[in-house]
CSV table of all heavy atoms in Angstrom, one decimal:
chain,number,residue,atom,x,y,z
O,1571,ARG,N,-2.8,15.6,14.2
O,1571,ARG,CA,-3.2,16.9,14.7
O,1571,ARG,C,-4.5,17.3,14.0
O,1571,ARG,O,-5.3,18.1,14.6
O,1571,ARG,CB,-2.1,17.9,14.5
O,1571,ARG,CG,-0.9,17.6,15.4
O,1571,ARG,CD,0.3,18.5,15.0
O,1571,ARG,NE,1.4,18.3,15.9
O,1571,ARG,CZ,2.3,17.3,15.6
O,1571,ARG,NH1,2.2,16.5,14.6
O,1571,ARG,NH2,3.3,17.1,16.4
O,1572,GLU,N,-4.7,16.9,12.8
O,1572,GLU,CA,-5.9,17.2,12.0
O,1572,GLU,C,-6.2,16.0,11.1
O,1572,GLU,O,-5.4,15.1,11.0
O,1572,GLU,CB,-5.7,18.5,11.2
O,1572,GLU,CG,-4.5,18.5,10.3
O,1572,GLU,CD,-4.3,19.8,9.7
O,1572,GLU,OE1,-4.8,20.8,10.2
O,1572,GLU,OE2,-3.7,19.8,8.6
O,1573,GLY,N,-7.3,16.0,10.5
O,1573,GLY,CA,-7.7,14.9,9.6
O,1573,GLY,C,-8.6,13.9,10.4
O,1573,GLY,O,-9.2,14.3,11.4
O,1574,PRO,N,-8.7,12.7,9.9
O,1574,PRO,CA,-9.6,11.7,10.6
O,1574,PRO,C,-9.3,11.5,12.0
O,1574,PRO,O,-8.1,11.4,12.4
O,1574,PRO,CB,-9.4,10.5,9.7
O,1574,PRO,CG,-8.9,10.9,8.4
O,1574,PRO,CD,-8.1,12.2,8.7
O,1575,CYS,N,-10.3,11.4,12.9
O,1575,CYS,CA,-10.1,11.1,14.3
O,1575,CYS,C,-10.7,9.8,14.6
O,1575,CYS,O,-11.2,9.0,13.8
O,1575,CYS,CB,-10.7,12.2,15.1
O,1575,CYS,SG,-12.5,12.2,15.1
O,1576,LEU,N,-10.6,9.4,15.9
O,1576,LEU,CA,-11.1,8.1,16.3
O,1576,LEU,C,-12.6,8.0,16.1
O,1576,LEU,O,-13.1,6.9,15.8
O,1576,LEU,CB,-10.8,7.9,17.8
O,1576,LEU,CG,-11.0,6.4,18.3
O,1576,LEU,CD1,-10.1,5.4,17.7
O,1576,LEU,CD2,-10.9,6.4,19.9
O,1577,GLY,N,-13.3,9.1,16.2
O,1577,GLY,CA,-14.8,9.1,16.0
O,1577,GLY,C,-15.1,8.8,14.5
O,1577,GLY,O,-16.1,8.2,14.2
O,1578,CYS,N,-14.2,9.3,13.6
O,1578,CYS,CA,-14.4,9.0,12.2
O,1578,CYS,C,-14.2,7.5,11.9
O,1578,CYS,O,-14.9,6.9,11.1
O,1578,CYS,CB,-13.4,9.8,11.4
O,1578,CYS,SG,-13.6,11.6,11.5
O,1579,LEU,N,-13.3,6.9,12.6
O,1579,LEU,CA,-13.0,5.5,12.4
O,1579,LEU,C,-14.1,4.6,13.0
O,1579,LEU,O,-14.5,3.6,12.4
O,1579,LEU,CB,-11.6,5.2,13.1
O,1579,LEU,CG,-11.2,3.7,13.0
O,1579,LEU,CD1,-11.0,3.2,11.6
O,1579,LEU,CD2,-9.9,3.5,13.8
O,1580,PHE,N,-14.5,5.0,14.3
O,1580,PHE,CA,-15.5,4.1,15.0
O,1580,PHE,C,-16.7,5.0,15.4
O,1580,PHE,O,-16.8,5.3,16.6
O,1580,PHE,CB,-14.9,3.5,16.2
O,1580,PHE,CG,-13.8,2.5,15.9
O,1580,PHE,CD1,-12.5,2.7,16.5
O,1580,PHE,CD2,-14.0,1.4,15.0
O,1580,PHE,CE1,-11.5,1.8,16.2
O,1580,PHE,CE2,-12.9,0.5,14.8
O,1580,PHE,CZ,-11.7,0.7,15.3
O,1581,PRO,N,-17.5,5.5,14.5
O,1581,PRO,CA,-18.6,6.4,14.9
O,1581,PRO,C,-19.6,5.7,15.9
O,1581,PRO,O,-20.2,6.4,16.7
O,1581,PRO,CB,-19.3,6.7,13.5
O,1581,PRO,CG,-18.9,5.6,12.6
O,1581,PRO,CD,-17.5,5.2,13.0
O,1582,ASP,N,-19.8,4.4,15.8
O,1582,ASP,CA,-20.7,3.8,16.8
O,1582,ASP,C,-20.2,3.7,18.2
O,1582,ASP,O,-20.9,3.4,19.1
O,1582,ASP,CB,-21.0,2.3,16.3
O,1582,ASP,CG,-21.8,2.3,15.0
O,1582,ASP,OD1,-22.4,3.3,14.6
O,1582,ASP,OD2,-21.8,1.2,14.3
O,1583,ALA,N,-18.9,4.0,18.4
O,1583,ALA,CA,-18.3,3.9,19.7
O,1583,ALA,C,-18.3,5.2,20.4
O,1583,ALA,O,-18.0,5.3,21.6
O,1583,ALA,CB,-16.9,3.4,19.6
O,1584,ILE,N,-18.8,6.3,19.8
O,1584,ILE,CA,-18.7,7.7,20.4
O,1584,ILE,C,-19.5,7.7,21.7
O,1584,ILE,O,-19.1,8.3,22.6
O,1584,ILE,CB,-19.2,8.7,19.4
O,1584,ILE,CG1,-18.1,8.8,18.2
O,1584,ILE,CG2,-19.3,10.1,20.0
O,1584,ILE,CD1,-18.6,9.8,17.1
O,1585,ASP,N,-20.7,7.1,21.7
O,1585,ASP,CA,-21.6,7.2,22.8
O,1585,ASP,C,-21.6,5.9,23.7
O,1585,ASP,O,-22.4,5.7,24.5
O,1585,ASP,CB,-23.0,7.5,22.4
O,1585,ASP,CG,-23.1,8.9,21.7
O,1585,ASP,OD1,-22.5,9.8,22.2
O,1585,ASP,OD2,-23.8,9.0,20.7
O,1586,ASP,N,-20.6,5.0,23.4
O,1586,ASP,CA,-20.5,3.8,24.1
O,1586,ASP,C,-19.9,4.0,25.5
O,1586,ASP,O,-18.8,4.5,25.7
O,1586,ASP,CB,-19.6,2.8,23.3
O,1586,ASP,CG,-19.5,1.4,24.0
O,1586,ASP,OD1,-20.3,1.2,25.0
O,1586,ASP,OD2,-18.6,0.6,23.6
O,1587,VAL,N,-20.6,3.6,26.6
O,1587,VAL,CA,-20.2,3.8,27.9
O,1587,VAL,C,-19.8,2.5,28.6
O,1587,VAL,O,-19.6,2.5,29.8
O,1587,VAL,CB,-21.2,4.6,28.8
O,1587,VAL,CG1,-21.4,6.0,28.2
O,1587,VAL,CG2,-22.5,3.9,28.8
O,1588,THR,N,-19.9,1.4,27.9
O,1588,THR,CA,-19.6,0.1,28.6
O,1588,THR,C,-18.1,0.0,28.8
O,1588,THR,O,-17.3,0.7,28.2
O,1588,THR,CB,-20.0,-1.1,27.7
O,1588,THR,OG1,-19.3,-1.0,26.4
O,1588,THR,CG2,-21.5,-1.1,27.5
O,1589,ARG,N,-17.7,-0.8,29.7
O,1589,ARG,CA,-16.3,-1.0,30.1
O,1589,ARG,C,-15.9,-2.4,30.1
O,1589,ARG,O,-15.7,-3.1,31.1
O,1589,ARG,CB,-16.0,-0.3,31.5
O,1589,ARG,CG,-16.2,1.2,31.5
O,1589,ARG,CD,-15.9,1.8,32.8
O,1589,ARG,NE,-16.0,3.3,32.7
O,1589,ARG,CZ,-15.0,4.1,32.5
O,1589,ARG,NH1,-13.8,3.6,32.3
O,1589,ARG,NH2,-15.1,5.4,32.4
O,1590,PRO,N,-15.7,-3.0,28.9
O,1590,PRO,CA,-15.3,-4.4,28.8
O,1590,PRO,C,-13.9,-4.6,29.0
O,1590,PRO,O,-13.1,-4.4,28.1
O,1590,PRO,CB,-15.8,-4.8,27.4
O,1590,PRO,CG,-15.6,-3.5,26.6
O,1590,PRO,CD,-15.8,-2.4,27.6
O,1591,CYS,N,-13.4,-5.1,30.1
O,1591,CYS,CA,-12.0,-5.3,30.3
O,1591,CYS,C,-11.7,-6.8,30.1
O,1591,CYS,O,-12.1,-7.7,30.8
O,1591,CYS,CB,-11.6,-5.0,31.8
O,1591,CYS,SG,-9.9,-5.2,32.1
O,1592,PRO,N,-10.9,-7.1,29.0
O,1592,PRO,CA,-10.6,-8.5,28.7
O,1592,PRO,C,-9.8,-9.1,29.8
O,1592,PRO,O,-8.8,-8.5,30.3
O,1592,PRO,CB,-9.7,-8.4,27.4
O,1592,PRO,CG,-10.1,-7.0,26.8
O,1592,PRO,CD,-10.4,-6.2,28.0
O,1593,GLY,N,-10.2,-10.3,30.2
O,1593,GLY,CA,-9.5,-11.0,31.3
O,1593,GLY,C,-8.8,-12.3,30.8
O,1593,GLY,O,-8.5,-13.1,31.6
O,1594,THR,N,-8.6,-12.4,29.5
O,1594,THR,CA,-8.0,-13.6,29.0
O,1594,THR,C,-6.5,-13.7,29.4
O,1594,THR,O,-5.7,-12.8,29.2
O,1594,THR,CB,-8.0,-13.5,27.4
O,1594,THR,OG1,-9.3,-13.2,27.0
O,1594,THR,CG2,-7.5,-14.8,26.9
O,1595,PRO,N,-6.1,-14.8,30.1
O,1595,PRO,CA,-4.8,-14.9,30.5
O,1595,PRO,C,-3.7,-14.9,29.4
O,1595,PRO,O,-2.6,-14.4,29.6
O,1595,PRO,CB,-4.8,-16.3,31.2
O,1595,PRO,CG,-6.2,-16.6,31.5
O,1595,PRO,CD,-7.0,-15.9,30.4
O,1596,ALA,N,-4.0,-15.5,28.3
O,1596,ALA,CA,-3.0,-15.7,27.2
O,1596,ALA,C,-3.0,-14.5,26.3
O,1596,ALA,O,-3.0,-14.6,25.1
O,1596,ALA,CB,-3.3,-16.9,26.4
O,1597,MET,N,-2.8,-13.3,26.9
O,1597,MET,CA,-2.9,-12.1,26.1
O,1597,MET,C,-1.5,-11.4,25.8
O,1597,MET,O,-1.4,-10.5,25.1
O,1597,MET,CB,-3.8,-11.0,26.8
O,1597,MET,CG,-5.2,-11.3,26.8
O,1597,MET,SD,-6.2,-10.0,27.5
O,1597,MET,CE,-6.0,-8.8,26.2
O,1598,VAL,N,-0.5,-11.9,26.5
O,1598,VAL,CA,0.8,-11.1,26.5
O,1598,VAL,C,1.4,-11.0,25.1
O,1598,VAL,O,1.9,-10.0,24.7
O,1598,VAL,CB,1.8,-11.8,27.5
O,1598,VAL,CG1,2.2,-13.2,27.0
O,1598,VAL,CG2,3.0,-10.9,27.7
O,1599,GLU,N,1.2,-12.1,24.2
O,1599,GLU,CA,1.7,-12.0,22.9
O,1599,GLU,C,1.1,-10.9,22.0
O,1599,GLU,O,1.9,-10.1,21.4
O,1599,GLU,CB,1.6,-13.4,22.2
O,1599,GLU,CG,2.3,-14.5,22.9
O,1599,GLU,CD,1.5,-15.2,24.0
O,1599,GLU,OE1,0.3,-14.7,24.2
O,1599,GLU,OE2,2.0,-16.1,24.7
O,1600,ILE,N,-0.2,-10.8,22.0
O,1600,ILE,CA,-0.8,-9.8,21.2
O,1600,ILE,C,-0.5,-8.4,21.7
O,1600,ILE,O,-0.4,-7.5,21.0
O,1600,ILE,CB,-2.3,-10.1,21.0
O,1600,ILE,CG1,-3.0,-9.1,20.0
O,1600,ILE,CG2,-3.1,-10.0,22.4
O,1600,ILE,CD1,-2.4,-9.2,18.6
O,1601,LEU,N,-0.4,-8.3,23.1
O,1601,LEU,CA,-0.1,-7.0,23.7
O,1601,LEU,C,1.3,-6.6,23.2
O,1601,LEU,O,1.5,-5.4,22.9
O,1601,LEU,CB,-0.1,-7.1,25.2
O,1601,LEU,CG,-1.5,-7.3,25.8
O,1601,LEU,CD1,-1.4,-7.7,27.3
O,1601,LEU,CD2,-2.4,-6.1,25.6
O,1602,GLN,N,2.2,-7.5,23.2
O,1602,GLN,CA,3.6,-7.2,22.8
O,1602,GLN,C,3.6,-6.7,21.3
O,1602,GLN,O,4.3,-5.8,20.9
O,1602,GLN,CB,4.5,-8.3,23.0
O,1602,GLN,CG,4.8,-8.6,24.5
O,1602,GLN,CD,5.5,-9.9,24.7
O,1602,GLN,OE1,5.6,-10.8,23.8
O,1602,GLN,NE2,6.1,-10.1,25.9
O,1603,VAL,N,2.9,-7.5,20.4
O,1603,VAL,CA,2.9,-7.2,19.0
O,1603,VAL,C,2.3,-5.8,18.7
O,1603,VAL,O,2.8,-5.0,18.0
O,1603,VAL,CB,2.2,-8.3,18.2
O,1603,VAL,CG1,2.2,-7.9,16.7
O,1603,VAL,CG2,3.0,-9.6,18.4
O,1604,VAL,N,1.1,-5.6,19.3
O,1604,VAL,CA,0.4,-4.3,19.1
O,1604,VAL,C,1.3,-3.2,19.7
O,1604,VAL,O,1.4,-2.1,19.1
O,1604,VAL,CB,-1.0,-4.3,19.8
O,1604,VAL,CG1,-1.6,-2.9,19.8
O,1604,VAL,CG2,-1.9,-5.3,19.0
O,1605,GLY,N,1.9,-3.4,20.9
O,1605,GLY,CA,2.8,-2.4,21.5
O,1605,GLY,C,3.9,-2.1,20.6
O,1605,GLY,O,4.4,-0.9,20.5
O,1606,ALA,N,4.5,-3.0,19.8
O,1606,ALA,CA,5.6,-2.7,18.9
O,1606,ALA,C,5.1,-1.8,17.8
O,1606,ALA,O,5.8,-0.9,17.4
O,1606,ALA,CB,6.1,-4.0,18.4
O,1607,PHE,N,4.0,-2.1,17.2
O,1607,PHE,CA,3.4,-1.2,16.2
O,1607,PHE,C,3.1,0.2,16.8
O,1607,PHE,O,3.4,1.2,16.1
O,1607,PHE,CB,2.2,-1.8,15.6
O,1607,PHE,CG,2.5,-2.8,14.5
O,1607,PHE,CD1,2.6,-4.2,14.8
O,1607,PHE,CD2,2.6,-2.4,13.2
O,1607,PHE,CE1,2.8,-5.1,13.8
O,1607,PHE,CE2,2.9,-3.4,12.2
O,1607,PHE,CZ,3.0,-4.7,12.5
O,1608,GLY,N,2.6,0.2,18.0
O,1608,GLY,CA,2.3,1.5,18.6
O,1608,GLY,C,3.6,2.3,18.8
O,1608,GLY,O,3.7,3.5,18.6
O,1609,SER,N,4.7,1.6,19.3
O,1609,SER,CA,6.0,2.3,19.5
O,1609,SER,C,6.5,2.9,18.2
O,1609,SER,O,7.1,4.0,18.2
O,1609,SER,CB,7.0,1.3,20.1
O,1609,SER,OG,6.5,0.9,21.4
O,1610,TYR,N,6.4,2.1,17.1
O,1610,TYR,CA,6.9,2.5,15.8
O,1610,TYR,C,6.1,3.8,15.4
O,1610,TYR,O,6.7,4.7,14.8
O,1610,TYR,CB,6.7,1.4,14.8
O,1610,TYR,CG,7.4,1.8,13.5
O,1610,TYR,CD1,8.7,1.5,13.3
O,1610,TYR,CD2,6.7,2.4,12.5
O,1610,TYR,CE1,9.3,1.8,12.1
O,1610,TYR,CE2,7.3,2.7,11.3
O,1610,TYR,CZ,8.6,2.4,11.1
O,1610,TYR,OH,9.2,2.7,9.9
O,1611,ALA,N,4.8,3.8,15.6
O,1611,ALA,CA,4.0,5.0,15.2
O,1611,ALA,C,4.4,6.2,16.0
O,1611,ALA,O,4.4,7.3,15.5
O,1611,ALA,CB,2.5,4.6,15.4
Side-chain angles (χ1 to χ4, degrees):
R1571 294 172 179 82
E1572 55 186 24
C1575 69
L1576 191 68
C1578 297
L1579 177 61
F1580 298 124
D1582 293 340
I1584 293 176
D1585 297 318
D1586 181 12
V1587 295
T1588 60
R1589 294 182 175 267
C1591 181
T1594 309
M1597 290 185 70
V1598 66
E1599 297 84 3
I1600 187 62
L1601 292 169
Q1602 291 172 341
V1603 175
V1604 171
F1607 277 91
S1609 297
Y1610 188 89

